[in-house]
Amino acid sequence: MSEGTEQHEAHAASAEVLKALADPVRLQIMDRLAARPRGVTDLARTLPITRQGTSKHLGVLRRAGLVETRPGPTGESYRVIPAPVDKASRMLARAADRWTTQLELLKRAAEIAADGSGAPEAADEADGGVRPASPDSTS
């Protein structure tokens, strides 16, 4: 499998996690389950929705790989699987780092342009010292 395909699959998985978490009730469910595993009935008592609604939200979270069920003495209980949230969080952090770097480079370039001095040493810092070859240069 190519690196591009692996990266696409990782982003697709993170997108599913983020979509599942994009609902306030599901965030409440994740918060409550992070504290301790719970059954549907117990969980529904703490939410502003019905038991049936709670089950539907748990199904979305389960399909996204965010929760799993375990048999218990009083029926199934749900618990959080932290790994998918961690992966999505790391992906977002990497993206934020890249965006911050690009914005810093853009800011430096704008400051140099606004300064109007065209000082080459400032431009060298902004672009990491990489300059395209001029047409009349010979190497």
Side-chain angles (χ1 to χ4, degrees), residues 3-89:
E3 181 181 336
T5 303
E6 287 177 15
Q7 187 178 35
H8 176 77
E9 289 178 5
H11 281 95
S14 291
E16 287 303 312
V17 166
L18 295 172
K19 280 192 267 184
L21 294 174
D23 182 281
V25 171
R26 288 194 286 271
L27 285 173
Q28 287 179 323
I29 289 171
M30 291 292 289
D31 190 45
R32 284 168 175 80
L33 292 178
R36 68 177 172 84
R38 296 174 183 243
V40 177
T41 303
D42 181 32
L43 196 54
R45 283 188 206 117
T46 70
L47 298 169
I49 59 174
T50 65
R51 184 184 184 290
Q52 185 178 20
T54 302
S55 290
K56 287 183 180 183
H57 283 292
L58 285 165
V60 171
L61 294 170
R62 187 173 38 215
R63 285 188 297 279
L66 293 168
V67 298
E68 67 182 1
T69 58
R70 294 255 170 102
T74 59
E76 280 188 333
S77 66
Y78 288 81
R79 75 172 194 89
V80 169
I81 304 171
V85 176
D86 291 342
K87 283 182 183 179
S89 176

Side-chain angles (χ1 to χ4, degrees), residues 80-99:
V80 169
I81 304 171
V85 176
D86 291 342
K87 283 182 183 179
S89 176
R90 286 193 306 275
M91 189 249 340
L92 289 173
R94 284 191 305 272
D97 287 345
R98 285 191 300 271
W99 297 337

